[in-house]
Amino acid sequence: MSSPLTSARLRARLALFRLWRLFGSFKLSVVLTVLLALYHGLLAIWARSSPAPVVQSIAGLLPFWLVYGLLLANTAVCLWRRLPALVRGAGPLGTLMFHGSFLVIALGFAATFVARREAGIRVAVGEAFTGDVEQWVAGDRGAPVGGTAPRFVVEEIVPELWDDALLFTELRARIGLVNAGKRDVRINEPAWLGLCTLLRLTGFGYAPRYELSDAASGKVLESAFVKLSVFPPGQEDSFSASTLPFEVDVGVLPDAVQRDQGWETASLNLRRPAVIARVFRGKLPLAAGTLLEGEGLSFEGVTLRFPEIRYWAELSLLYDPGAAILFSGYAMALVGLLLRVRAGGREARE
Amino acid sequence: MTSAYAIVYWLVAVVYALAVGAEIAGQVFRRERLSRSSNALVLVGVGVHATLIAWRWIQAGHAPVIGAFENCLLGAWFIVVMVVWTNRRRAFPLLAAGALPLALLLLGFGGMAESAPSPFVASLRSFWLYIHIFFAWLAYGAYSVACGAAVVYLVKSRAAAAAPPETLARLDELMFRATVFGFVTDAVLIAAGAIWAKNLWGSYWSWDPVETWSLLSWLIYGLALHLRTTLGWRRRRLAWVLVFAIVGVLISFWGVKYLMPGTAHVFTVD
């Protein structure tokens, strides 16, 4: 007669064995895959009435990860049980690689989920990015990689628009990285600064240089570039002079022409820029006008000019250690699939 | 679309429709000549269709991969080419009748869509776009062939006296092989899309409805393959699964645009 302790141990071992067998069962894979398919179906239907962030948060709920977790555990157990088949040639190896890649992809997802960081940077042409607080987009301040941000200068920004419609046929920035040469960054061609870090170009705008000078002597009192969100034309932004008590509301006409109705822009390309400026002291309007390059607007003893307009680029510094792992998983899956298919074809011919 | 282009476009659709009709009539009335003429019509259609693609390429100044019209034009051609290639030895009677309606559906849908050439915008200028789209059409072409073979199998296996067992066995094998090919190319499509998305949006997966439905379709085809290889689902059972599975592909290509707003995928940019 067995002791109660031995019997409990046996029951536990039996339960573990059953669990192991269940997780190694292909039928469980079918059930879990059907569940996942249903879940994805529901998710896709949900997307009909809800915006993307809502769908993303639904995708992050526990039942979703539970099903994925179980499927991964199921895959891992099935793989372990099939390991001896490795010696039998390319076909089983392909199957193992393909299913094993799910675990690598899951690892990539997890690494992204835990460690992905992104921060926006705004720098004008000719400006060196030094990592100063004001160069980061508000709310994104600080290098996302946890270490030092790369140092670079934006040397050129080239936006090309299609037939003056708001459709970019080219948006490129040339950046000179300190000790790492020059790189072109396009809207869908980021610069990889390492295995896990990339620099993306996400937008651009106009940075006019304003100049406040003494109306009588012509002596420049204050001058600086201001990065404004005034693209596309019609949009307005404002800035404050740093030493004088003036605020200026600004709009930019990149290709200004004067018509009967007033100033308009003939195209979206920066050919003959004009700045629409309204100057205030507090809430008191002081002056307003449309200024071409070199033209001035005088008020309260000073003259405001915009002698130059440059582009500024919005770049995004992204650190994502999961992407490289995930893409390795994709490669592994494809190699596995090809091995399996090739071996399957050979088996069929034999 | 100029009127000359529109005439040729719809002519191609008519030729394919005639080919489907001739194939069915050939089988129903047991006229070999009709079946042969169906084959000839499909070949003529493919040639003219290729000319239409080249014409559009020159007209737009870029590969025809932008917007519903261009995607349908190219996609329908891929389906027909895959049907022609699969059936090059005339081993699968009625396959054209089973698979070409999907190409016709695409042509019809494309013909109704906005067809003015769109610019090749900066976000689309990527090597990965070509990989993504090329493999998408290989995958969808293969799935269409699998679905067509499944429909033919279901029809032929009902009229058991009319279909010799070897024909059914060949169709069964074709369903499986086309699904395997589609599954592999679909995997490349998803991987290339993720790499492109990573470059463009900074994130390789964002639960966009098209992404979700593509994954769903891939899962369904993966399931179909496992059902066949592990649980031994063959013949009519597999055929029904494949007929059902094409719905996922149709939804990820068409349904999402109409049913689920907010997708950032290419064929909604028109």
Side-chain angles (χ1 to χ4, degrees):
Chain A
M1 206 175 134
S2 62
S3 70
L5 188 65
T6 319
S7 152
R9 212 177 265 168
L10 268 174
R11 273 204 301 274
R13 287 182 75 174
L14 191 66
L16 271 176
F17 173 72
R18 281 184 179 153
L19 201 65
W20 178 255
R21 207 172 55 177
L22 174 72
F23 271 97
S25 129
F26 174 70
K27 283 180 183 165
L28 181 68
S29 316
V30 173
V31 170
L32 291 172
T33 313
V34 169
L35 268 178
L36 263 183
L38 284 174
Y39 203 103
H40 277 287
L42 284 174
L43 206 62
I45 292 165
W46 212 304
R48 186 184 174 189
S49 54
S50 307
V54 176
V55 180
Q56 276 172 22
S57 36
I58 294 167
L61 289 177
L62 185 66
F64 184 75
W65 292 114
L66 193 68
V67 178
Y68 259 116
L70 286 173
L71 189 64
L72 285 172
N74 172 240
T75 308
V77 176
C78 285
L79 281 176
W80 180 255
R81 291 178 66 176
R82 283 196 185 186
L83 271 181
L86 259 177
V87 290
R88 291 210 302 265
L93 176 65
T95 307
L96 279 167
M97 278 183 79
F98 175 63
H99 290 95
S101 74
F102 293 173
L103 303 176
V104 179
I105 290 169
L107 188 68
F109 259 108
T112 296
F113 187 71
V114 172
R116 186 182 187 278
R117 300 284 180 274
E118 188 165 17
I121 296 165
R122 279 185 178 181
V123 269
V125 172
E127 183 184 359
F129 174 68
T130 53
D132 285 348
V133 171
E134 61 271 18
Q135 290 179 315
W136 296 98
V137 171
D140 286 349
R141 284 171 185 169
V145 284
T148 51
R151 299 284 181 266
F152 59 85
V153 178
V154 175
E155 296 182 350
E156 187 188 24
I157 297 169
V158 182
E160 281 172 16
L161 293 134
W162 185 69
D163 277 358
D164 300 329
L166 196 55
L167 288 168
F168 288 97
T169 50
E170 174 76 304
L171 183 53
R172 173 173 61 84
R174 171 158 292 182
I175 57 168
L177 284 155
V178 175
N179 302 327
K182 294 182 197 311
R183 300 272 187 89
D184 276 347
V185 186
R186 289 187 168 80
I187 199 154
N188 64 357
E189 204 181 297
W192 287 84
L193 306 177
L195 195 62
C196 305
T197 311
L198 55 87
L199 190 65
R200 299 191 308 122
L201 177 62
T202 53
F204 90 109
Y206 298 125
R209 180 163 68 85
Y210 75 91
E211 203 177 85
L212 281 166
S213 54
D214 186 281
S217 66
K219 186 187 168 198
V220 176
L221 305 170
E222 188 179 322
S223 176
F225 282 99
V226 277
K227 288 170 238 170
L228 301 171
S229 298
V230 287
F231 185 86
Q235 204 165 311
E236 287 199 348
D237 201 353
S238 62
F239 69 91
S240 303
S242 56
T243 55
L244 298 166
F246 304 123
E247 280 184 12
V248 188
D249 283 358
V250 175
V252 171
L253 300 171
D255 190 6
V257 282
Q258 197 165 21
R259 300 214 168 104
D260 296 342
Q261 302 88 345
W263 287 93
E264 287 176 12
T265 187
S267 74
L268 293 175
N269 296 304
L270 201 61
R271 290 186 187 126
R272 187 178 179 244
V275 175
I276 305 163
R278 284 197 307 274
V279 185
F280 297 86
R281 183 157 41 76
K283 288 183 179 174
L284 181 71
L286 299 178
T290 301
L291 309 174
L292 288 166
E293 216 171 273
E295 288 181 348
L297 186 66
S298 294
F299 51 90
E300 295 194 340
V302 293
T303 302
L304 172 69
R305 285 192 180 81
F306 292 95
E308 189 184 352
I309 294 184
R310 290 186 182 182
Y311 291 120
W312 56 258
E314 185 164 305
L315 298 149
S316 167
L317 187 61
L318 175 68
Y319 173 72
D320 183 356
I325 303 172
L326 183 117
F327 294 149
S328 314
Y330 280 155
M332 188 174 158
L334 290 174
V335 172
L337 271 175
L338 291 175
L339 277 176
R340 178 64 257 180
V341 170
R342 196 158 171 257
R346 202 182 300 132
E347 282 160 18
R349 279 194 297 279
E350 283 163 5
Chain B
M1 190 158 43
T2 61
S3 45
Y5 195 95
I7 289 168
V8 182
Y9 183 91
W10 289 112
L11 200 68
V12 169
V14 169
V15 168
Y16 289 150
L18 284 174
V20 171
E23 183 79 63
I24 294 170
Q27 289 293 315
V28 171
F29 301 112
R30 310 273 168 111
R31 296 283 166 85
E32 181 61 21
R33 195 187 292 173
L34 273 173
S35 295
R36 275 206 304 271
S37 66
S38 157
N39 211 24
L41 280 170
V42 172
L43 287 174
V44 169
V46 163
V48 181
H49 198 156
T51 315
L52 273 180
I53 291 169
W55 188 350
R56 176 68 178 194
W57 195 321
I58 293 163
Q59 197 180 38
H62 55 75
V65 291
I66 302 171
F69 173 75
E70 291 181 358
N71 274 297
C72 290
L73 179 72
L74 196 61
W77 186 77
F78 263 89
I79 292 176
V80 182
V81 166
M82 290 189 82
V83 169
V84 169
W85 189 80
T86 309
N87 205 13
R88 63 196 181 282
R89 295 195 187 102
R90 299 286 298 149
F92 305 104
L94 268 180
L95 181 65
L100 285 195
L102 289 164
L104 273 172
L105 210 61
L106 270 181
L107 278 179
F109 177 74
M112 300 296 171
E114 170 62 50
S115 62
S118 309
F120 205 42
V121 292
S123 57
L124 302 178
R125 288 173 188 267
S126 168
F127 161 77
W128 292 106
L129 168 77
Y130 293 105
I131 302 287
H132 182 62
I133 288 178
F134 178 69
F135 279 91
W137 286 124
L138 283 183
Y140 293 170
Y143 289 154
S144 302
V145 168
C147 176
V151 170
V152 176
Y153 190 97
L154 289 171
V155 171
K156 284 196 168 263
S157 60
R158 273 180 73 88
E166 313 85 68
T167 309
L168 291 180
R170 273 204 308 269
L171 278 169
D172 187 52
E173 189 61 22
L174 175 64
M175 287 191 289
F176 175 63
R177 281 171 180 261
T179 307
V180 169
F181 184 77
F183 187 71
V184 176
T185 46
D186 203 354
V188 180
L189 144 81
I190 293 172
I195 296 171
W196 183 30
K198 174 80 185 163
N199 288 345
L200 183 60
W201 300 323
S203 165
Y204 48 74
W205 199 264
S206 47
W207 297 109
D208 179 277
V210 172
E211 283 175 355
T212 310
W213 272 100
S214 299
L215 185 62
L216 181 63
S217 311
W218 191 70
L219 280 174
I220 292 170
Y221 280 101
L223 187 64
L225 288 177
H226 280 85
L227 288 173
R228 149 105 189 199
T229 51
T230 314
L231 294 188
W233 282 34
R234 287 167 175 260
R235 304 181 186 95
R236 285 181 69 83
R237 276 213 272 190
L238 182 66
W240 277 116
V241 172
L242 293 178
V243 169
F244 166 74
I246 200 79
V247 176
V249 175
L250 291 177
I251 292 178
S252 54
F253 187 71
W254 276 312
V256 168
K257 182 175 176 178
Y258 291 104
L259 302 176
M260 294 143 211
T263 176
H265 270 75
V266 174
F267 39 86
T268 62
V269 181
D270 52 25

